[in-house]
Amino acid sequence: MKFEYRHTFDTSAERLVEALFDPDLAPFLSEHMTTIVSIEPMERTEDEQRIRRKVKYVPVPMISKIGPKKITPESMQWVEESSFDKARRVMTFENIPTHPKVRAKMVNRGELQIQPTGSDRCERIMRGELKIKFPLLGRVAESIIAKNGKKMLDEEAEVVARYMRERR
């Protein structure tokens, strides 16, 4: 399934980029989000054009079953592998499940774009695809995961806005 999520921020695009890639953001998100147990930066490299990173996300378990299949908390973890083009303000990402069985059945990738919408406003647009390769239940799982992903991203946007207000 394809998805698109949008969040508006009362700040400049430059300031939002600065906040999103601030090393202090991950512990702040972990502390203040109710949908995430932890966010663990694993790798980060930066040059004049790009920021590349790997970040492990451990969500609060949101579902316990899909049909007859039990879902363990470990199967919900993933590593974001991303590359952010500074000039275009576009990040391509792939969220790779840490559990081998889930990794074989799930694809989640896309791009995040930050666009100015005024002098002190901008929009974060995330577009991508989520595919669960599982007969019959795949589409049900995609719908559940997408709904919970939106909830997580909505909360993250609120906490990022709070982070920027508190870090002025």
Side-chain angles (χ1 to χ4, degrees), residues 98-164:
T98 59
H99 193 284
K101 288 183 180 179
V102 177
R103 189 178 318 122
K105 300 224 179 266
M106 182 172 152
V107 174
N108 179 215
R109 62 179 158 230
E111 76 173 29
L112 177 147
Q113 181 177 14
I114 298 173
Q115 292 183 331
T117 57
S119 62
D120 274 331
R121 285 181 65 89
C122 64
E123 187 173 42
R124 177 181 72 178
I125 305 161
M126 184 179 292
R127 295 181 182 99
E129 73 169 318
L130 171 64
K131 180 73 179 157
I132 306 296
K133 301 178 245 176
F134 198 83
L136 303 174
L137 296 176
R139 287 188 185 238
V140 172
E142 289 169 7
S143 177
I144 292 168
I145 293 167
K147 180 180 175 186
N148 286 308
K150 180 181 182 330
K151 179 180 174 184
M152 190 178 301
L153 289 166
D154 289 348
E155 182 184 37
E156 183 222 20
E158 291 173 14
V159 176
V160 167
R162 177 179 172 187
Y163 179 79
M164 289 188 293

Side-chain angles (χ1 to χ4, degrees), residues 15 18-19 23-24 48 54 58 61-62 68 70 92 95-96 99 102 119 121 132-133 136 138 149 154 157 167:
R15 188 154 182 261
E18 184 180 299
D24 293 333
E48 290 195 22
K54 290 184 182 181
V58 180
M62 296 179 191
K70 289 192 184 235
T92 57
N95 292 326
I96 302 168
H99 193 284
V102 177
S119 62
R121 285 181 65 89
I132 306 296
K133 301 178 245 176
L136 303 174
D154 289 348
R167 304 289 170 149

Side-chain angles (χ1 to χ4, degrees), residues 20-86:
L20 290 175
F21 292 98
D22 185 336
D24 293 333
L25 179 62
F28 189 88
L29 291 172
S30 294
E31 181 181 341
H32 293 93
M33 288 180 69
T34 62
T35 55
I36 289 285
V37 173
S38 68
I39 300 172
E40 303 168 24
M42 299 168 64
E43 290 179 26
R44 178 188 166 121
T45 59
E46 183 171 356
D47 59 35
E48 290 195 22
Q49 290 85 28
R50 296 198 169 276
I51 300 170
R52 290 177 180 83
R53 67 184 191 173
K54 290 184 182 181
V55 180
K56 181 178 179 184
Y57 290 82
V58 180
V60 170
M62 296 179 191
I63 55 176
S64 59
K65 291 177 25 169
I66 296 177
K69 290 281 189 188
K70 289 192 184 235
I71 308 299
T72 64
E74 297 79 27
S75 65
M76 306 289 267
Q77 300 174 25
W78 74 91
V79 173
E80 168 204 301
E81 292 188 6
S82 60
S83 177
F84 182 74
D85 180 321
K86 294 177 180 181

